[in-house]
Amino acid sequence: MEINKIKCGKFSFNVPNFDLKLTMFSGQTSQPPWKHKNDYYQELIFIEDKPCLIKVRQKNNHLEVKYETDTKVSPQDIKKTIKYIFDLEFNLDKFYFNFTQNDSIFSRIVEKYNGLRLFLAHNKYECIISSITSANNSISKWTRSILRIKEKLGRKYVFPSSEEMYYFPDPETVLENKDKLKYCGVGYRYKYIVETTKILYENLSIDEVNKMEYDEAFETLLELPGVGPKVADCILLYGFRRYEAFPVDIWITRAIKDLFGVSKDIREFGQSKFGKYAGYAQLYLYQYIRHKK
DNA sequence: TGTAGACCTGGCAAC
DNA sequence: TCTAACAGGTCTACT
């Protein structure tokens, strides 16, 4: 699909306490890392319902941004979206202060992974399907599946720089192209994706879930096929920016056991210990245990 | 109520 | 080059 009335531009802005690469490749996200090309990370996102190709790279404390989009989209809109996706408004210093007080282990974790932030989803439906696909799956296989879904079912956009990008399909397209979905390497999760998509298309509004209190949203998401506690918390954290969510996978289980000797009711433990910082705590705990020697 | 086993895929180790 | 064990959450059937 060609885009009319396109404009290209670039700008940069200050991003203290942020590590783009660490954030994008944290492994704890609801979306694969953006495509790396010519020293920039690029992704197609929708801003004000208009397709927008965004390219970002970090130079010290500055984030350099290039964009190609509809003339109606302003650089301010793009900046606001980027700030949301990388959670740049979150007060990381305050979190560090709470997380590390009188704690040498956490102080070392924070020092090592300084600037790591949540990599938030720009498309909530994609986030839900992506999180279901990630369950019982390795990062590399999961990444490949999501890229295949985009390429086989998504809409292709061609930008002035000749860049071809695919956008994640909407629920209607997924339901109309179920056969193609079978060849995206999602395995037995295929039926979960189709059934969940049907529910989201016919009965449950994602916007309504977004308005719910955390507990109600968690219980509602558990009703979706293929969504258990871990996936529900992933959706709430990365898709709906609910900082109190504490997704517990095998690595977080290991980290909590390793650091606190707790091996039961890990989610409750994490939420009680870290409160409104639970989501950020699990992000750092994951890095700690994955790289522990 | 709690738990064992099935579900898929593919990179990797052993042969 | 081929084969087998393995990792990773959710669901279902069974106790």
Side-chain angles (χ1 to χ4, degrees), chain A residues 56-198:
Chain A
V56 292
R57 73 172 174 187
Q58 185 171 17
K59 293 287 177 190
N60 301 316
N61 279 349
H62 277 81
L63 198 64
E64 297 179 2
V65 183
K66 286 184 181 176
Y67 61 87
E68 296 172 38
T69 188
D70 188 282
T71 50
K72 286 179 184 163
V73 180
S74 71
Q76 287 77 17
D77 294 330
I78 296 169
K79 187 175 171 182
K80 193 175 155 193
T81 304
I82 290 173
K83 278 188 165 183
Y84 174 83
I85 291 172
F86 297 111
D87 205 25
L88 295 171
E89 304 275 320
F90 180 80
N91 191 335
L92 213 46
D93 285 331
K94 208 169 169 185
F95 163 66
Y96 288 163
F97 180 76
N98 279 277
F99 200 55
T100 58
Q101 260 180 329
N102 305 320
D103 198 313
S104 60
I105 294 176
F106 283 171
S107 297
R108 283 204 299 274
I109 296 174
V110 161
E111 197 180 330
K112 196 169 176 188
Y113 302 108
N114 199 278
L116 172 63
R117 290 174 181 269
L118 290 177
F119 186 27
L120 297 169
H122 53 90
N123 175 335
K124 291 184 173 58
Y125 170 65
E126 177 181 358
C127 170
I128 293 170
I129 300 307
S130 204
S131 300
I132 290 173
T133 310
S134 73
N136 198 22
N137 211 344
S138 67
I139 292 172
S140 61
K141 275 178 275 185
W142 165 69
T143 300
R144 197 175 306 119
S145 294
I146 298 307
L147 294 178
R148 279 189 202 156
I149 293 175
K150 282 185 177 183
E151 287 178 13
K152 286 182 187 288
L153 285 83
R155 184 175 284 179
K156 184 169 97 172
Y157 290 87
V158 183
F159 288 88
S161 58
S162 305
E163 207 68 61
E164 291 181 354
M165 299 293 288
Y166 292 86
Y167 194 69
F168 199 85
D170 56 30
E172 196 175 358
T173 307
V174 169
L175 294 175
E176 283 171 357
N177 295 276
K178 293 198 286 274
D179 291 342
K180 288 185 188 169
L181 184 64
K182 277 184 184 166
Y183 301 102
C184 295
V186 295
Y188 64 91
R189 303 167 197 85
Y190 166 81
K191 66 174 190 292
Y192 299 151
I193 295 173
V194 171
E195 285 167 21
T196 287
T197 299
K198 263 187 203 163

